[in-house]
Every structure is written in structure tokens, then in C-alpha cells.
């Protein structure tokens, strides 16, 4: 039967000794909580492909909840290092704002770190061994959050190949509106067109990645599942298509190239996707809200 052993500073999630399973150590260090009696926690997690992700969520979430148990708004960031045998160390960033409480095990179960553990242990290519998991959490008792109230284009017509300058209207949880001007590169091939620039939080946008064909591809993809948490991403839809195939990505293909790449007798064909040009700009806080602005690109005179 499954059991849990917990004291002030250490916890072990174990299985019956008759069915002794391999395990891996996990540690959690929490910063920013002055006066907390215990800021460092250590765990031993049973190495089981279906239950280890739940155990990691329970361990890390419970440590954060026990250390920061005041019913206050909390902004938190977590860096997790997962050491995988033969694959090196995977570093993942998580973060969020917990309103009126602290992130608990249920919140942590949706984190990149927990999803990565599940993906690694349940990959279809080869057995995977996790050697160690280390999480460092930093908390602040505040809502480090911006709401995107609006965006203005400083010029509604730009030259092809030149950046568009946008003014962002950012409203913190408590305080006056702040404005930030960013520059978004405009590809030359959009000359003579109207362009929509979509603005989204970094954590809500994913780079174009190929589907993994082996464990090494999965390991390479995991840290790149989204843009930095504290960034805003400007996206421009391109008229071309891109393809992903065998671990490689071609973001923009010339017209007709996709038909040439599609095999006639093989179902293992390149995966097409809508091509976007994305620009990530740091804003040093989490962002909520989306917006877009339209500009015109001057035609190139020859």
C-alpha cells in the first residue's frame, strides 16, 4: 500500500518494502518568506511512470503551502532542475500569482515541471530514469501582475524591414498606469500589406517545435514549450506556411514547396503549420490580457 511519512522538514512518499520500487531524491528551497521556520525540504519520490508526477506535485505543492500558509496574495517563481540519466539536466521555469492564498499541490500539478516528469517517464521510445529533481521557489507577498489595457501604434505606416513602435498601456494591481514602448520588427516581404500585430503573454504563446521522434528530441523540446513567463509576445501572421519534420523546423516556405515535400506513397509526411514571426519583449511581471493593433507597410518602390 502507498503511504506518506511527513515531519517538519522531510517527507518520503514510499511503497511497501515487499514491492520495493526505485526512487529519486527531490529538494525544495523557498526564498522570500521571512520568519518561516523551515525553508528547505527534502523528499524521496517513488520512481513510477504513472504516479511519480502526482507525487512530485504533492511534495512540492505541500512544501510551498506549508511554508507560505498565510492567506495573502502571493507572486511566485520556481526553477526546477530535472537530472535524467544519459540526457543531462533539464531546467524549467514556472510561476504565477495566487490570489488570497498560496499555490498548493493542485496548482503545482499543472506546472511545466510536473508535466515534464510525466512526459519523460511515459515516453514511447525508451525507459527513462530520473536521478534527481531540485526546485527553487521565490515568493513575494504581492500581486506582481500587469493588465494590458490597450496598445497604440506610434505610427500607423512603417517602412518594410523597419520596426513598428508600439506603446503598451500596462496597469498594475495597485498603482497608476504605466506605459512601455516596444519595437516589433516587420519582415520586408510584407511590403504593401496591412499587418495585424497580436500581443499576448509569453506563457500563453508557444514557439513552433517539431514533434519529437526520440527521447533526445523530447528532452530538447521541454524547456522551449513557451516564451519567458515575464514577457509579452508580438505575433505577426505570415502568408507562407512552415513545416516540421524529423526534428527540424522550416518556418517559411516559398509557394509550392509544401506540395513538393509531401510524399505520394508515405504517410510520414512533413507537418504543416501556419507561419508566424514572433518577438518576445521582457516586461518583468506576469501579464494578463491580449490585444492587437493594425499597421500599414509601405510598398517598396523599384
Amino acid at each position: 500500500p502507498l503511504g506518506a511519512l511527513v515531519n517538519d522538514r522531510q517527507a518520503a512518499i514510499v511503497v511497501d518494502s515487499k514491492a520495493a520500487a526505485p526512487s529519486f531524491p527531490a529538494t525544495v528551497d523557498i526564498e522570500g518568506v521571512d520568519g518561516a521556520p523551515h525553508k528547505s525540504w527534502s523528499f524521496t519520490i517513488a520512481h513510477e511512470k504513472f504516479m511519480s508526477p502526482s507525487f512530485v506535485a504533492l511534495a512540492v505543492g505541500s512544501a510551498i503551502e506549508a511554508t507560505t500558509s498565510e492567506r495573502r496574495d502571493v507572486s511566485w517563481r520556481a526553477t526546477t532542475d530535472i537530472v535524467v540519466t544519459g540526457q543531462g539536466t533539464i531546467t524549467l521555469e514556472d510561476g504565477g500569482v495566487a490570489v488570497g492564498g498560496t499555490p498548493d499541490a493542485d496548482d503545482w500539478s499543472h506546472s511545466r515541471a510536473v508535466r515534464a516528469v510525466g512526459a519523460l517517464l511515459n515516453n514511447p521510445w525508451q525507459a527513462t530514469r530520473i536521478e534527481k529533481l531540485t526546485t527553487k521557489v521565490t515568493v513575494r507577498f504581492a500581486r506582481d501582475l500587469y493588465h494590458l489595457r490597450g496598445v497604440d501604434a506610434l505610427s500607423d505606416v512603417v517602412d518594410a524591414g523597419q520596426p513598428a513602435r508600439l506603446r503598451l498601456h500596462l496597469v498594475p494591481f495597485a498603482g497608476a498606469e504605466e506605459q512601455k514602448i516596444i519595437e516589433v520588427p516587420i519582415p520586408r516581404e510584407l511590403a504593401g500589406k496591412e499587418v495585424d500585430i497580436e500581443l499576448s503573454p509569453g506563457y500563453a504563446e508557444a514557439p513552433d517545435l517539431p514533434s519529437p521522434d526520440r527521447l533526445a528530441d523530447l528532452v530538447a523540446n521541454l524547456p522551449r514549450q513557451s516564451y519567458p513567463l515575464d514577457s509579452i509576445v508580438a505575433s505577426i501572421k505570415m502568408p507562407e506556411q512552415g513545416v516540421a519534420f524529423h526534428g527540424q523546423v522550416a518556418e517559411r516556405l516559398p509557394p509550392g514547396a509544401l506540395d513538393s515535400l509531401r510524399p505520394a506513397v508515405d504517410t510520414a509526411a512533413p507537418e504543416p503549420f501556419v507561419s508566424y514571426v514572433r518577438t518576445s519583449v521582457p516586461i518583468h511581471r506576469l501579464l494578463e490580457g491580449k490585444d492587437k493593433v493594425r499597421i500599414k507597410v509601405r510598398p517598396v518602390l523599384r
Side-chain angles (χ1 to χ4, degrees), residues 149-235:
R149 175 171 287 177
V151 56
D152 305 323
L154 298 186
S155 176
D156 58 358
V157 181
V158 300
D159 293 321
Q162 297 298 310
R165 302 180 73 238
L166 308 180
R167 181 190 293 114
L168 307 179
H169 297 268
L170 303 171
V171 182
F173 170 69
E177 176 185 294
E178 300 176 20
Q179 297 183 359
K180 181 178 179 65
I181 295 177
I182 65 172
E183 293 188 346
V184 180
I186 304 297
R188 293 186 61 85
E189 53 265 46
L190 295 178
K193 300 181 181 296
E194 289 189 342
V195 176
D196 287 329
I197 303 176
E198 300 178 358
L199 298 160
S200 305
Y203 58 81
E205 289 292 325
D208 296 316
L209 299 174
S211 298
D213 293 324
R214 53 181 181 154
L215 178 59
D217 296 338
L218 174 63
V219 170
N221 281 355
L222 285 174
R224 301 184 292 158
Q225 295 295 314
S226 70
Y227 290 91
L229 297 173
D230 56 353
S231 68
I232 187 169
V233 175
S235 303

Side-chain angles (χ1 to χ4, degrees), residues 56-137:
V56 170
L58 175 62
V60 179
S62 297
I64 298 173
E65 187 175 21
T67 306
T68 62
S69 57
E70 298 183 56
R71 304 302 295 179
R72 296 162 59 186
D73 296 344
V74 171
S75 300
W76 60 277
R77 300 289 179 89
T79 301
T80 300
D81 292 329
I82 305 173
V83 181
V84 184
T85 300
Q87 301 294 330
T89 301
I90 303 169
T91 300
L92 302 167
E93 300 287 338
D94 283 290
V97 175
V99 179
T102 58
D104 55 18
D106 184 60
D107 296 323
W108 193 251
S109 66
H110 304 293
S111 67
R112 299 178 188 175
V114 170
R115 294 201 305 267
V117 170
L120 290 166
L121 296 182
N122 292 276
N123 82 84
W125 302 287
Q126 66 186 74
T128 307
R129 171 73 177 166
I130 294 178
E131 297 181 9
K132 182 173 64 173
L133 182 145
T134 302
T135 299
K136 183 176 181 179
V137 183

Side-chain angles (χ1 to χ4, degrees), residues 4-22:
L5 306 176
V6 182
N7 61 29
D8 281 346
R9 301 193 64 177
Q10 292 187 329
I13 298 176
V14 299
V15 289
D16 194 307
S17 59
K18 294 180 180 179

